[in-house]
Amino acid sequence: VIALTITDFDMFPHSEQVISRYQLKEKHKLTDYSDDIELVFAELPKFDKDIDELDTLSDKWLYFLKEANHLESVPTTLEQEPAIQEAFEVAQQSRLTLAEAEVLEKQAIFIADSRNAVRLGVAQGMARGLARGIEQGIEQGIEQGMELGKRAEKVATARALLGKLPVSEISEITQLSTTEVEELNKSTNDE
C-alpha cells in the first residue's frame, strides 16, 4: 500500500527533497513493519525545474501539477503522455464558471441517459416503430447535447481570450455575438 500526498506548501522544511518516502517502523526496536507500506510526499514548491529540464515521468507530472493553473495548452514536451493530456482536460474543465460546468454536466448526463435508454430499449425488444421513435429522439437529444457542449467550448475560448484580444476579434473567432462576449467580459470582471 502506498499513500501519495502532493502538497502546495513545504511539508518538511528541514529537507530540500521534492519527493520524500517514509516507511513504518516499530517505535521501540525500530524494526520495519513491512516493505509493502510506504508514504510518499511530493512538495510542489520545492520543484524548480524548467520545462526543458524535465527528464523523468515524475518530473513531467510534478511540472504539470505545479503549473496546471497557468497553462493554456499542454506543452509539447508533455504531449507524449496521454495521461497528462487527460489531466489537462480535467484542469481546463475546473476553470469553467459554475454555469459552464453545469452545461457540461447536463450534457454528460443527457448522453448517458440516452445511451441507457437505447440499451433498455434493446434489452426489452421493443417494437420496431417504437424503437425507431426512440432512436430519433435520442439522435435529436444527442445533437442538442453536442450543441450545448459546442456553446460551452465557445464560451470557454472567449473567456480565455478576454483581455488579450478586442471583443470584435473574440466574437469572430468564437462565433459568439459581440453582446455575448461583452456580457462574458462583464461577468468575469464581477467575479
Side-chain angles (χ1 to χ4, degrees), residues 28-189:
H28 300 288
K29 295 183 181 179
L30 300 178
T31 54
D32 289 338
Y33 171 74
S34 169
D35 288 338
D36 295 339
I37 298 177
E38 186 176 29
L39 307 175
V40 180
F41 298 89
E43 300 170 86
L44 295 180
K46 293 179 182 177
F47 184 79
D48 59 1
K49 289 188 178 183
D50 290 325
I51 189 83
D52 55 335
E53 299 175 307
L54 306 178
D55 299 319
T56 66
L57 183 59
S58 293
D59 286 350
K60 291 176 183 179
W61 272 107
L62 289 168
Y63 179 86
F64 173 77
L65 290 169
K66 186 172 182 180
E67 300 299 328
N69 285 337
H70 310 291
L71 298 174
E72 292 299 321
S73 63
V74 179
T76 3
T77 333
L78 305 179
E79 282 180 340
Q80 62 198 7
E81 301 298 335
I84 291 178
Q85 286 276 13
E86 289 177 39
F88 179 77
E89 290 172 18
V90 170
Q92 288 294 93
Q93 287 182 3
S94 71
R95 292 182 187 171
L96 296 177
T97 65
L98 182 59
E100 292 166 342
E102 285 176 359
V103 167
L104 283 178
E105 183 179 353
K106 286 178 183 176
Q107 177 188 8
I109 290 170
F110 181 82
I111 290 171
D113 288 348
S114 297
R115 287 183 181 145
N116 288 336
V118 169
R119 288 184 186 122
L120 178 63
V122 169
Q124 293 177 344
M126 294 183 164
R128 181 182 242 163
L130 182 57
R132 181 66 187 140
I134 288 174
E135 281 179 32
Q136 288 174 343
I138 289 171
E139 286 172 11
Q140 289 173 351
I142 289 173
E143 285 176 24
Q144 289 172 351
M146 290 174 68
E147 286 301 316
L148 286 173
K150 287 178 185 176
R151 166 96 177 133
E153 185 176 316
K154 287 178 182 182
V155 168
T157 301
R159 282 189 186 279
L161 295 174
L162 285 172
K164 297 175 186 168
L165 294 175
V167 170
S168 60
E169 287 183 36
I170 296 172
S171 173
E172 189 176 318
I173 290 169
T174 61
Q175 298 175 343
L176 294 173
S177 71
T178 53
T179 305
E180 290 173 301
V181 176
E182 287 168 350
E183 287 176 12
L184 282 174
N185 191 24
K186 184 177 184 260
S187 69
T188 302
N189 292 334

